[in-house]
Amino acid sequence: MFDKRALIVGVTGIVGNNLARQLLAEGGWEVLGISRKPPSGLSRVKHVALDVLDAEATRRALADARPTHVFFCTWTRMSSEAENCRVNGAMVRHVLDAVSGPGQVSVRHVALVTGTKNYLGPFDMYARNQPETPFREDQPRLPIDNFYYVQEDVVFEFAARNGWSWSVHRPHTIVGYAVGNAMNIGVTLAVYASVCKAHGRPFLFPGSPTQHAGLSDVTDARLLARHLAWAATAPAARNEAFNVANGDVFRWKRLWSVIGGYFGLEAAPYPGAQVPLLQQMADMAPLWSGLVQAHRLQPHGIDELASAWHTDLDLGRPMECVNDMNKSRRLGFLGFQDTERSFLDLFDQLRHERIIP
């Protein structure tokens, strides 16, 4: 009935959830999804409850999985980059070990989702090198530890050993629907704007002067899902690394006004320096709880929805960050996404799902 069987590691996350929906909408795919908790709204996904840090449990759980395509869409944040390398490399290795064991000869392709930290460096060295932009896939690795490089090397090792093809996908800041995601700028800004509106607070851009006035791009999770599906089956995409961004560029000083307008807010004058969201949102937890009760929203605490620390990283960069998309276009992927609609569509969905008022 299905000629393609996808195994999505991290099916409840912002990438995995949107990928599952894309593959099911395309047809011809059977979808297995790995996560610790079952996904909501994905009844056609066969869920595997699993912590892939446990090698033996992973081997047992995937003994009969027999996927044709493996999509690795998750990671775990540790206290240091050395630990990030050890743990996140092990997660990929455990899954690929399990699907390449005795009797497992079904895998054709492995896709790994990493990101722009491939060029900017990990959290503890973030953007200190200020590499040349726009970022291009053939730029050399930075001479520092980076768990993305470890994950890539594990994928390359297994692909070479087993004759699989592979693809690496490097999105920029991802905008899309997910609850409980550790890196979710869209939902974070929706929560922040909702509290500002309800309590008359200034809607103040929290980032650096360069991010406020300079050029940037982002990645819609729906576009990333389409890119993953394309690369999984397009012969031209075999064994390639790709940037994945919406295809347009913007300046936050305009987009901030667009986002504010959605919530009935006027953007506050930019103060000329970063005022981090971690600082601005430090006292917002009880205010958010009051909004949840007053508007009968889904009972999510602010810490489940907002990742102020990660949004501060994205908006605090001291350099313009844009990604070259020519490789994808040259090899046949012509998808694009209007960035303003990325945010506005997400806000519409959050309201529809009663996540925000």
Side-chain angles (χ1 to χ4, degrees):
M1 186 175 180
F2 302 102
D3 64 335
K4 299 183 291 290
R5 184 177 176 85
L7 177 66
I8 300 176
V9 186
V11 73
T12 56
I14 191 170
V15 177
N17 186 284
N18 281 275
L19 175 59
R21 295 177 188 278
Q22 175 66 31
L23 297 180
L24 292 171
E26 286 187 6
W29 287 91
E30 183 179 8
V31 180
L32 288 72
I34 293 176
S35 59
R36 296 180 184 180
K37 297 180 181 179
S40 60
L42 289 173
S43 59
R44 292 168 58 197
V45 171
K46 181 179 179 181
H47 181 246
V48 181
L50 179 61
D51 178 358
V52 295
L53 281 171
D54 186 329
E56 184 54 37
T58 302
R59 189 175 295 109
R60 290 195 305 269
L62 301 181
D64 298 317
R66 291 177 172 77
T68 59
H69 296 74
V70 179
F71 299 91
F72 211 94
C73 307
T74 191
W75 71 289
T76 295
R77 188 183 185 193
M78 305 301 291
S79 59
S80 69
E81 192 58 21
E83 278 297 287
N84 280 337
C85 291
R86 182 184 67 83
V87 169
N88 289 282
M91 290 166 63
V92 177
R93 184 173 296 279
H94 295 166
V95 171
L96 298 186
D97 264 334
V99 298
S100 61
Q104 294 267 29
V105 295
S106 58
V107 176
R108 304 174 204 161
H109 184 84
V110 177
L112 173 68
V113 179
T114 61
T116 305
K117 287 190 291 297
N118 182 83
Y119 309 109
L120 292 174
F123 293 120
D124 55 1
M125 295 286 291
Y126 196 59
R128 293 186 190 177
N129 295 278
Q130 298 197 22
E132 182 179 340
T133 59
F135 302 132
R136 290 179 170 84
E137 295 92 342
D138 60 359
Q139 288 175 219
R141 289 179 173 182
L142 300 173
I144 53 178
D145 286 344
N146 191 325
F147 79 84
Y148 287 170
Y149 305 159
V150 175
Q151 289 183 309
E152 285 184 349
D153 287 343
V154 174
V155 169
F156 299 159
E157 171 194 336
F158 275 83
R161 182 192 308 163
N162 294 282
W164 306 335
S165 62
W166 55 266
S167 57
V168 175
H169 304 255
R170 299 170 182 164
H172 197 177
T173 301
I174 300 176
V175 180
Y177 182 82
V179 173
N181 184 265
M183 303 190 299
N184 198 328
I185 191 172
V187 179
T188 299
L189 295 182
V191 170
Y192 170 67
S194 297
V195 174
C196 288
K197 175 66 175 178
H199 293 275
R201 295 194 172 191
F203 186 57
L204 183 65
F205 181 72
S208 70
T210 302
Q211 286 302 302
H212 183 250
L215 291 174
S216 191
D217 58 20
V218 296
T219 305
D220 191 301
R222 299 168 297 183
L223 181 84
L224 176 55
R226 296 199 298 273
H227 194 277
L228 282 158
W230 163 75
T233 57
R238 289 172 56 93
N239 305 335
E240 296 284 354
F242 295 101
N243 295 330
V244 190
N246 280 355
D248 61 359
V249 294
F250 64 91
R251 302 182 196 274
W252 274 104
K253 63 182 180 181
R254 169 186 161 78
L255 184 58
W256 197 250
S257 294
V258 172
I259 292 172
Y262 181 94
F263 292 92
L265 292 163
E266 184 174 344
Y270 181 59
Q274 187 170 8
V275 185
L277 281 181
L278 273 175
Q279 173 185 323
Q280 295 192 54
M281 299 180 72
D283 65 344
M284 283 189 178
L287 303 179
W288 175 254
S289 295
L291 285 180
V292 169
Q293 293 180 9
H295 294 273
R296 298 181 180 179
L297 305 178
Q298 291 192 36
H300 296 296
I302 196 169
D303 290 339
E304 291 181 76
L305 302 174
S307 51
W309 66 273
H310 193 267
T311 298
D312 282 338
L313 281 175
D314 284 333
L315 300 184
R317 296 168 181 156
M319 58 180 291
E320 290 187 337
C321 293
V322 291
N323 290 270
D324 185 271
M325 283 290 292
N326 281 322
K327 180 193 271 193
S328 288
R329 292 168 181 151
R330 185 173 69 252
L331 297 182
F333 182 81
L334 303 179
F336 68 93
Q337 171 65 43
D338 180 328
T339 290
E340 290 186 10
R341 287 309 324 171
S342 291
F343 282 94
L344 301 183
D345 290 350
L346 170 62
F347 300 155
D348 283 345
Q349 186 174 3
L350 293 172
R351 280 186 168 166
H352 178 73
E353 299 288 340
R354 302 203 61 77
I355 304 292
I356 62 173

